[in-house]
PDB file of all heavy atoms in Angstrom:
ATOM      1  N   ASP A  12      59.099 112.023 129.228  1.00 98.00           N
ATOM      2  CA  ASP A  12      59.776 112.397 127.974  1.00 98.00           C
ATOM      3  C   ASP A  12      60.275 113.831 127.957  1.00 98.00           C
ATOM      4  O   ASP A  12      61.422 114.070 127.538  1.00 98.00           O
ATOM      5  CB  ASP A  12      58.843 112.136 126.791  1.00 98.00           C
ATOM      6  CG  ASP A  12      58.670 110.655 126.496  1.00 98.00           C
ATOM      7  OD1 ASP A  12      59.537 109.869 126.943  1.00 98.00           O
ATOM      8  OD2 ASP A  12      57.673 110.265 125.851  1.00 98.00           O
ATOM      9  N   PRO A  13      59.500 114.836 128.371  1.00 98.00           N
ATOM     10  CA  PRO A  13      60.053 116.204 128.351  1.00 98.00           C
ATOM     11  C   PRO A  13      61.286 116.346 129.238  1.00 98.00           C
ATOM     12  O   PRO A  13      62.250 117.012 128.851  1.00 98.00           O
ATOM     13  CB  PRO A  13      58.871 117.061 128.877  1.00 98.00           C
ATOM     14  CG  PRO A  13      57.656 116.267 128.545  1.00 98.00           C
ATOM     15  CD  PRO A  13      58.057 114.837 128.712  1.00 98.00           C
ATOM     16  N   PHE A  14      61.277 115.710 130.420  1.00 98.00           N
ATOM     17  CA  PHE A  14      62.439 115.815 131.294  1.00 98.00           C
ATOM     18  C   PHE A  14      63.624 115.081 130.681  1.00 98.00           C
ATOM     19  O   PHE A  14      64.760 115.607 130.675  1.00 98.00           O
ATOM     20  CB  PHE A  14      62.130 115.244 132.669  1.00 98.00           C
ATOM     21  CG  PHE A  14      63.338 115.250 133.583  1.00 98.00           C
ATOM     22  CD1 PHE A  14      63.793 116.412 134.168  1.00 98.00           C
ATOM     23  CD2 PHE A  14      64.036 114.068 133.822  1.00 98.00           C
ATOM     24  CE1 PHE A  14      64.917 116.415 134.975  1.00 98.00           C
ATOM     25  CE2 PHE A  14      65.158 114.063 134.637  1.00 98.00           C
ATOM     26  CZ  PHE A  14      65.598 115.248 135.221  1.00 98.00           C
ATOM     27  N   LYS A  15      63.408 113.881 130.194  1.00 98.00           N
ATOM     28  CA  LYS A  15      64.522 113.104 129.632  1.00 98.00           C
ATOM     29  C   LYS A  15      65.149 113.807 128.443  1.00 98.00           C
ATOM     30  O   LYS A  15      66.375 113.773 128.264  1.00 98.00           O
ATOM     31  CB  LYS A  15      64.032 111.699 129.250  1.00 98.00           C
ATOM     32  CG  LYS A  15      63.674 110.817 130.435  1.00 98.00           C
ATOM     33  CD  LYS A  15      63.448 109.368 130.055  1.00 98.00           C
ATOM     34  CE  LYS A  15      62.291 109.158 129.139  1.00 98.00           C
ATOM     35  NZ  LYS A  15      62.027 107.737 128.859  1.00 98.00           N
ATOM     36  N   ALA A  16      64.332 114.482 127.647  1.00 98.00           N
ATOM     37  CA  ALA A  16      64.864 115.185 126.476  1.00 98.00           C
ATOM     38  C   ALA A  16      65.811 116.300 126.919  1.00 98.00           C
ATOM     39  O   ALA A  16      66.903 116.488 126.353  1.00 98.00           O
ATOM     40  CB  ALA A  16      63.723 115.759 125.641  1.00 98.00           C
ATOM     41  N   GLU A  17      65.409 117.075 127.950  1.00 98.00           N
ATOM     42  CA  GLU A  17      66.245 118.179 128.420  1.00 98.00           C
ATOM     43  C   GLU A  17      67.492 117.655 129.145  1.00 98.00           C
ATOM     44  O   GLU A  17      68.581 118.188 128.973  1.00 98.00           O
ATOM     45  CB  GLU A  17      65.445 119.085 129.345  1.00 98.00           C
ATOM     46  CG  GLU A  17      64.361 119.880 128.642  1.00 98.00           C
ATOM     47  CD  GLU A  17      64.937 120.842 127.605  1.00 98.00           C
ATOM     48  OE1 GLU A  17      66.045 121.369 127.803  1.00 98.00           O
ATOM     49  OE2 GLU A  17      64.247 121.085 126.595  1.00 98.00           O
ATOM     50  N   MET A  18      67.313 116.607 129.939  1.00 98.00           N
ATOM     51  CA  MET A  18      68.458 116.022 130.656  1.00 98.00           C
ATOM     52  C   MET A  18      69.489 115.505 129.667  1.00 98.00           C
ATOM     53  O   MET A  18      70.694 115.728 129.828  1.00 98.00           O
ATOM     54  CB  MET A  18      67.999 114.916 131.584  1.00 98.00           C
ATOM     55  CG  MET A  18      69.156 114.197 132.270  1.00 98.00           C
ATOM     56  SD  MET A  18      68.611 112.721 133.152  1.00 98.00           S
ATOM     57  CE  MET A  18      70.175 112.026 133.668  1.00 98.00           C
ATOM     58  N   GLN A  19      69.027 114.796 128.640  1.00 98.00           N
ATOM     59  CA  GLN A  19      69.948 114.230 127.666  1.00 98.00           C
ATOM     60  C   GLN A  19      70.653 115.323 126.889  1.00 98.00           C
ATOM     61  O   GLN A  19      71.861 115.259 126.639  1.00 98.00           O
ATOM     62  CB  GLN A  19      69.224 113.301 126.708  1.00 98.00           C
ATOM     63  CG  GLN A  19      70.137 112.655 125.683  1.00 98.00           C
ATOM     64  CD  GLN A  19      69.452 111.541 124.890  1.00 98.00           C
ATOM     65  OE1 GLN A  19      68.309 111.214 125.141  1.00 98.00           O
ATOM     66  NE2 GLN A  19      70.156 110.964 123.950  1.00 98.00           N
ATOM     67  N   ARG A  20      69.903 116.374 126.527  1.00 98.00           N
ATOM     68  CA  ARG A  20      70.504 117.470 125.762  1.00 98.00           C
ATOM     69  C   ARG A  20      71.663 118.117 126.554  1.00 98.00           C
ATOM     70  O   ARG A  20      72.752 118.327 126.007  1.00 98.00           O
ATOM     71  CB  ARG A  20      69.440 118.527 125.454  1.00 98.00           C
ATOM     72  CG  ARG A  20      69.965 119.765 124.729  1.00 98.00           C
ATOM     73  CD  ARG A  20      68.886 120.818 124.577  1.00 98.00           C
ATOM     74  NE  ARG A  20      68.366 121.265 125.857  1.00 98.00           N
ATOM     75  CZ  ARG A  20      68.966 122.204 126.600  1.00 98.00           C
ATOM     76  NH1 ARG A  20      70.102 122.777 126.187  1.00 98.00           N
ATOM     77  NH2 ARG A  20      68.451 122.575 127.744  1.00 98.00           N
ATOM     78  N   PHE A  21      71.434 118.389 127.849  1.00 98.00           N
ATOM     79  CA  PHE A  21      72.477 119.022 128.637  1.00 98.00           C
ATOM     80  C   PHE A  21      73.644 118.079 128.879  1.00 98.00           C
ATOM     81  O   PHE A  21      74.812 118.484 128.767  1.00 98.00           O
ATOM     82  CB  PHE A  21      71.915 119.521 129.967  1.00 98.00           C
ATOM     83  CG  PHE A  21      72.938 120.229 130.817  1.00 98.00           C
ATOM     84  CD1 PHE A  21      73.329 121.528 130.508  1.00 98.00           C
ATOM     85  CD2 PHE A  21      73.534 119.589 131.893  1.00 98.00           C
ATOM     86  CE1 PHE A  21      74.294 122.174 131.269  1.00 98.00           C
ATOM     87  CE2 PHE A  21      74.491 120.219 132.659  1.00 98.00           C
ATOM     88  CZ  PHE A  21      74.882 121.528 132.347  1.00 98.00           C
ATOM     89  N   THR A  22      73.351 116.829 129.207  1.00 98.00           N
ATOM     90  CA  THR A  22      74.422 115.856 129.452  1.00 98.00           C
ATOM     91  C   THR A  22      75.289 115.695 128.218  1.00 98.00           C
ATOM     92  O   THR A  22      76.534 115.681 128.304  1.00 98.00           O
ATOM     93  CB  THR A  22      73.828 114.501 129.882  1.00 98.00           C
ATOM     94  OG1 THR A  22      73.019 114.679 131.051  1.00 98.00           O
ATOM     95  CG2 THR A  22      74.920 113.490 130.175  1.00 98.00           C
ATOM     96  N   GLU A  23      74.674 115.555 127.058  1.00 98.00           N
ATOM     97  CA  GLU A  23      75.431 115.401 125.813  1.00 98.00           C
ATOM     98  C   GLU A  23      76.276 116.651 125.541  1.00 98.00           C
ATOM     99  O   GLU A  23      77.409 116.547 125.077  1.00 98.00           O
ATOM    100  CB  GLU A  23      74.486 115.139 124.642  1.00 98.00           C
ATOM    101  CG  GLU A  23      73.883 113.753 124.644  1.00 98.00           C
ATOM    102  CD  GLU A  23      72.939 113.525 123.446  1.00 98.00           C
ATOM    103  OE1 GLU A  23      72.558 114.521 122.806  1.00 98.00           O
ATOM    104  OE2 GLU A  23      72.615 112.347 123.188  1.00 98.00           O
ATOM    105  N   MET A  24      75.708 117.822 125.833  1.00 98.00           N
ATOM    106  CA  MET A  24      76.453 119.056 125.604  1.00 98.00           C
ATOM    107  C   MET A  24      77.726 119.084 126.459  1.00 98.00           C
ATOM    108  O   MET A  24      78.811 119.444 125.973  1.00 98.00           O
ATOM    109  CB  MET A  24      75.588 120.271 125.921  1.00 98.00           C
ATOM    110  CG  MET A  24      76.275 121.602 125.638  1.00 98.00           C
ATOM    111  SD  MET A  24      75.312 123.027 126.144  1.00 98.00           S
ATOM    112  CE  MET A  24      75.421 122.880 127.917  1.00 98.00           C
ATOM    113  N   ILE A  25      77.619 118.701 127.735  1.00 98.00           N
ATOM    114  CA  ILE A  25      78.793 118.714 128.608  1.00 98.00           C
ATOM    115  C   ILE A  25      79.817 117.685 128.145  1.00 98.00           C
ATOM    116  O   ILE A  25      81.022 117.960 128.058  1.00 98.00           O
ATOM    117  CB  ILE A  25      78.363 118.460 130.076  1.00 98.00           C
ATOM    118  CG1 ILE A  25      77.499 119.620 130.593  1.00 98.00           C
ATOM    119  CG2 ILE A  25      79.596 118.266 130.950  1.00 98.00           C
ATOM    120  CD1 ILE A  25      78.200 120.959 130.597  1.00 98.00           C
ATOM    121  N   VAL A  26      79.349 116.477 127.819  1.00 98.00           N
ATOM    122  CA  VAL A  26      80.271 115.431 127.351  1.00 98.00           C
ATOM    123  C   VAL A  26      80.966 115.874 126.078  1.00 98.00           C
ATOM    124  O   VAL A  26      82.195 115.731 125.925  1.00 98.00           O
ATOM    125  CB  VAL A  26      79.527 114.103 127.139  1.00 98.00           C
ATOM    126  CG1 VAL A  26      80.397 113.111 126.369  1.00 98.00           C
ATOM    127  CG2 VAL A  26      79.117 113.509 128.481  1.00 98.00           C
ATOM    128  N   ASN A  27      80.231 116.459 125.128  1.00 98.00           N
ATOM    129  CA  ASN A  27      80.852 116.904 123.875  1.00 98.00           C
ATOM    130  C   ASN A  27      81.810 118.051 124.119  1.00 98.00           C
ATOM    131  O   ASN A  27      82.842 118.162 123.430  1.00 98.00           O
ATOM    132  CB  ASN A  27      79.753 117.318 122.895  1.00 98.00           C
ATOM    133  CG  ASN A  27      78.971 116.130 122.363  1.00 98.00           C
ATOM    134  OD1 ASN A  27      79.481 115.012 122.337  1.00 98.00           O
ATOM    135  ND2 ASN A  27      77.736 116.362 121.943  1.00 98.00           N
ATOM    136  N   MET A  28      81.521 118.907 125.079  1.00 98.00           N
ATOM    137  CA  MET A  28      82.446 119.996 125.427  1.00 98.00           C
ATOM    138  C   MET A  28      83.751 119.412 125.967  1.00 98.00           C
ATOM    139  O   MET A  28      84.846 119.888 125.632  1.00 98.00           O
ATOM    140  CB  MET A  28      81.806 120.912 126.449  1.00 98.00           C
ATOM    141  CG  MET A  28      82.682 122.094 126.882  1.00 98.00           C
ATOM    142  SD  MET A  28      81.863 123.129 128.118  1.00 98.00           S
ATOM    143  CE  MET A  28      80.553 123.829 127.119  1.00 98.00           C
ATOM    144  N   MET A  29      83.641 118.399 126.815  1.00 98.00           N
ATOM    145  CA  MET A  29      84.834 117.767 127.358  1.00 98.00           C
ATOM    146  C   MET A  29      85.634 117.074 126.232  1.00 98.00           C
ATOM    147  O   MET A  29      86.854 117.181 126.183  1.00 98.00           O
ATOM    148  CB  MET A  29      84.473 116.741 128.424  1.00 98.00           C
ATOM    149  CG  MET A  29      83.724 117.313 129.640  1.00 98.00           C
ATOM    150  SD  MET A  29      84.613 118.615 130.534  1.00 98.00           S
ATOM    151  CE  MET A  29      83.752 120.092 129.948  1.00 98.00           C
ATOM    152  N   LYS A  30      84.924 116.431 125.333  1.00 98.00           N
ATOM    153  CA  LYS A  30      85.616 115.756 124.225  1.00 98.00           C
ATOM    154  C   LYS A  30      86.293 116.756 123.318  1.00 98.00           C
ATOM    155  O   LYS A  30      87.453 116.544 122.894  1.00 98.00           O
ATOM    156  CB  LYS A  30      84.603 114.919 123.421  1.00 98.00           C
ATOM    157  CG  LYS A  30      84.144 113.635 124.103  1.00 98.00           C
ATOM    158  CD  LYS A  30      83.179 112.873 123.198  1.00 98.00           C
ATOM    159  CE  LYS A  30      82.739 111.559 123.813  1.00 98.00           C
ATOM    160  NZ  LYS A  30      81.775 110.826 122.940  1.00 98.00           N
ATOM    161  N   SER A  31      85.624 117.843 123.009  1.00 98.00           N
ATOM    162  CA  SER A  31      86.203 118.815 122.080  1.00 98.00           C
ATOM    163  C   SER A  31      87.426 119.486 122.657  1.00 98.00           C
ATOM    164  O   SER A  31      88.309 119.962 121.909  1.00 98.00           O
ATOM    165  CB  SER A  31      85.156 119.878 121.689  1.00 98.00           C
ATOM    166  OG  SER A  31      84.799 120.655 122.815  1.00 98.00           O
ATOM    167  N   ASN A  32      87.512 119.532 123.987  1.00 98.00           N
ATOM    168  CA  ASN A  32      88.697 120.090 124.642  1.00 98.00           C
ATOM    169  C   ASN A  32      89.699 119.010 125.055  1.00 98.00           C
ATOM    170  O   ASN A  32      90.657 119.310 125.762  1.00 98.00           O
ATOM    171  CB  ASN A  32      88.272 120.904 125.861  1.00 98.00           C
ATOM    172  CG  ASN A  32      87.693 122.248 125.497  1.00 98.00           C
ATOM    173  OD1 ASN A  32      88.423 123.213 125.276  1.00 98.00           O
ATOM    174  ND2 ASN A  32      86.368 122.322 125.437  1.00 98.00           N
ATOM    175  N   LYS A  33      89.424 117.751 124.602  1.00 98.00           N
ATOM    176  CA  LYS A  33      90.324 116.624 124.876  1.00 98.00           C
ATOM    177  C   LYS A  33      90.610 116.484 126.370  1.00 98.00           C
ATOM    178  O   LYS A  33      91.767 116.374 126.801  1.00 98.00           O
ATOM    179  CB  LYS A  33      91.627 116.763 124.075  1.00 98.00           C
ATOM    180  CG  LYS A  33      91.427 116.678 122.569  1.00 98.00           C
ATOM    181  CD  LYS A  33      92.728 116.796 121.819  1.00 98.00           C
ATOM    182  CE  LYS A  33      92.593 116.433 120.358  1.00 98.00           C
ATOM    183  NZ  LYS A  33      91.372 116.862 119.677  1.00 98.00           N
ATOM    184  N   LEU A  34      89.539 116.428 127.153  1.00 98.00           N
ATOM    185  CA  LEU A  34      89.690 116.403 128.604  1.00 98.00           C
ATOM    186  C   LEU A  34      89.460 115.033 129.229  1.00 98.00           C
ATOM    187  O   LEU A  34      89.698 114.861 130.425  1.00 98.00           O
ATOM    188  CB  LEU A  34      88.765 117.449 129.236  1.00 98.00           C
ATOM    189  CG  LEU A  34      89.111 118.907 128.916  1.00 98.00           C
ATOM    190  CD1 LEU A  34      88.098 119.856 129.516  1.00 98.00           C
ATOM    191  CD2 LEU A  34      90.524 119.255 129.373  1.00 98.00           C
ATOM    192  N   PHE A  35      88.956 114.070 128.457  1.00 98.00           N
ATOM    193  CA  PHE A  35      88.857 112.723 128.997  1.00 98.00           C
ATOM    194  C   PHE A  35      90.214 112.048 128.950  1.00 98.00           C
ATOM    195  O   PHE A  35      91.023 112.295 128.030  1.00 98.00           O
ATOM    196  CB  PHE A  35      87.818 111.911 128.237  1.00 98.00           C
ATOM    197  CG  PHE A  35      86.394 112.307 128.521  1.00 98.00           C
ATOM    198  CD1 PHE A  35      85.630 112.977 127.588  1.00 98.00           C
ATOM    199  CD2 PHE A  35      85.815 112.014 129.752  1.00 98.00           C
ATOM    200  CE1 PHE A  35      84.317 113.364 127.850  1.00 98.00           C
ATOM    201  CE2 PHE A  35      84.517 112.378 130.036  1.00 98.00           C
ATOM    202  CZ  PHE A  35      83.766 113.053 129.088  1.00 98.00           C
ATOM    203  N   GLU A  36      90.493 111.208 129.895  1.00 97.00           N
ATOM    204  CA  GLU A  36      91.829 110.627 130.036  1.00 97.00           C
ATOM    205  C   GLU A  36      92.309 109.886 128.784  1.00 97.00           C
ATOM    206  O   GLU A  36      93.479 110.041 128.402  1.00 97.00           O
ATOM    207  CB  GLU A  36      91.870 109.704 131.265  1.00 97.00           C
ATOM    208  CG  GLU A  36      93.236 109.573 131.915  1.00 97.00           C
ATOM    209  CD  GLU A  36      94.103 108.531 131.227  1.00 97.00           C
ATOM    210  OE1 GLU A  36      93.548 107.729 130.457  1.00 97.00           O
ATOM    211  OE2 GLU A  36      95.316 108.531 131.478  1.00 97.00           O
ATOM    212  N   PRO A  37      91.462 109.124 128.090  1.00 97.00           N
ATOM    213  CA  PRO A  37      91.941 108.479 126.865  1.00 97.00           C
ATOM    214  C   PRO A  37      92.375 109.477 125.770  1.00 97.00           C
ATOM    215  O   PRO A  37      93.075 109.103 124.841  1.00 97.00           O
ATOM    216  CB  PRO A  37      90.729 107.654 126.402  1.00 97.00           C
ATOM    217  CG  PRO A  37      89.996 107.366 127.655  1.00 97.00           C
ATOM    218  CD  PRO A  37      90.123 108.613 128.471  1.00 97.00           C
ATOM    219  N   GLN A  38      91.948 110.735 125.909  1.00 97.00           N
ATOM    220  CA  GLN A  38      92.369 111.786 124.977  1.00 97.00           C
ATOM    221  C   GLN A  38      93.609 112.525 125.467  1.00 97.00           C
ATOM    222  O   GLN A  38      94.061 113.456 124.820  1.00 97.00           O
ATOM    223  CB  GLN A  38      91.240 112.805 124.797  1.00 97.00           C
ATOM    224  CG  GLN A  38      89.941 112.266 124.251  1.00 97.00           C
ATOM    225  CD  GLN A  38      88.862 113.326 124.240  1.00 97.00           C
ATOM    226  OE1 GLN A  38      88.392 113.771 125.288  1.00 97.00           O
ATOM    227  NE2 GLN A  38      88.497 113.776 123.047  1.00 97.00           N
ATOM    228  N   GLY A  39      94.113 112.110 126.605  1.00 97.00           N
ATOM    229  CA  GLY A  39      95.231 112.828 127.215  1.00 97.00           C
ATOM    230  C   GLY A  39      94.800 113.831 128.271  1.00 97.00           C
ATOM    231  O   GLY A  39      95.619 114.597 128.767  1.00 97.00           O
ATOM    232  N   GLY A  40      93.517 113.842 128.617  1.00 98.00           N
ATOM    233  CA  GLY A  40      93.009 114.764 129.613  1.00 98.00           C
ATOM    234  C   GLY A  40      92.986 114.169 131.005  1.00 98.00           C
ATOM    235  O   GLY A  40      93.383 113.018 131.232  1.00 98.00           O
ATOM    236  N   PRO A  41      92.465 114.929 131.982  1.00 98.00           N
ATOM    237  CA  PRO A  41      92.513 114.474 133.380  1.00 98.00           C
ATOM    238  C   PRO A  41      91.251 113.734 133.853  1.00 98.00           C
ATOM    239  O   PRO A  41      91.267 113.177 134.950  1.00 98.00           O
ATOM    240  CB  PRO A  41      92.650 115.798 134.160  1.00 98.00           C
ATOM    241  CG  PRO A  41      91.895 116.778 133.328  1.00 98.00           C
ATOM    242  CD  PRO A  41      92.090 116.342 131.880  1.00 98.00           C
ATOM    243  N   ILE A  42      90.154 113.736 133.088  1.00 98.00           N
ATOM    244  CA  ILE A  42      88.904 113.145 133.585  1.00 98.00           C
ATOM    245  C   ILE A  42      88.991 111.635 133.515  1.00 98.00           C
ATOM    246  O   ILE A  42      89.094 111.055 132.431  1.00 98.00           O
ATOM    247  CB  ILE A  42      87.692 113.640 132.771  1.00 98.00           C
ATOM    248  CG1 ILE A  42      87.581 115.161 132.824  1.00 98.00           C
ATOM    249  CG2 ILE A  42      86.406 113.002 133.315  1.00 98.00           C
ATOM    250  CD1 ILE A  42      86.504 115.726 131.935  1.00 98.00           C
ATOM    251  N   ILE A  43      88.930 110.987 134.683  1.00 98.00           N
ATOM    252  CA  ILE A  43      89.050 109.522 134.720  1.00 98.00           C
ATOM    253  C   ILE A  43      87.723 108.838 135.051  1.00 98.00           C
ATOM    254  O   ILE A  43      87.626 107.617 134.940  1.00 98.00           O
ATOM    255  CB  ILE A  43      90.117 109.062 135.735  1.00 98.00           C
ATOM    256  CG1 ILE A  43      89.800 109.585 137.133  1.00 98.00           C
ATOM    257  CG2 ILE A  43      91.510 109.495 135.273  1.00 98.00           C
ATOM    258  CD1 ILE A  43      90.640 108.977 138.234  1.00 98.00           C
ATOM    259  N   MET A  44      86.726 109.626 135.479  1.00 98.00           N
ATOM    260  CA  MET A  44      85.423 109.069 135.822  1.00 98.00           C
ATOM    261  C   MET A  44      84.361 110.130 135.631  1.00 98.00           C
ATOM    262  O   MET A  44      84.644 111.325 135.730  1.00 98.00           O
ATOM    263  CB  MET A  44      85.382 108.626 137.290  1.00 98.00           C
ATOM    264  CG  MET A  44      85.957 107.277 137.591  1.00 98.00           C
ATOM    265  SD  MET A  44      85.757 106.879 139.342  1.00 98.00           S
ATOM    266  CE  MET A  44      86.974 107.974 140.074  1.00 98.00           C
TER     267      MET A  44
END
């Protein structure tokens, strides 16, 4: 649980950063995978 909590927190932070900058391809960004 302690590891999963920290892993999820960082992963979510990176994904949300990419979303907020519209970097995933469905948002018009370059990230396809």
Side-chain angles (χ1 to χ4, degrees):
D12 288 340
F14 176 76
K15 291 191 296 184
E17 291 297 327
M18 176 189 173
Q19 182 170 357
R20 177 185 60 83
F21 181 76
T22 302
E23 288 180 345
M24 183 185 71
I25 295 299
V26 168
N27 289 335
M28 180 181 292
M29 300 301 103
K30 286 181 178 179
S31 66
N32 284 277
K33 295 181 168 38
L34 294 177
F35 287 108
E36 208 276 345
Q38 299 174 292
I42 302 174
I43 58 169
M44 277 183 288

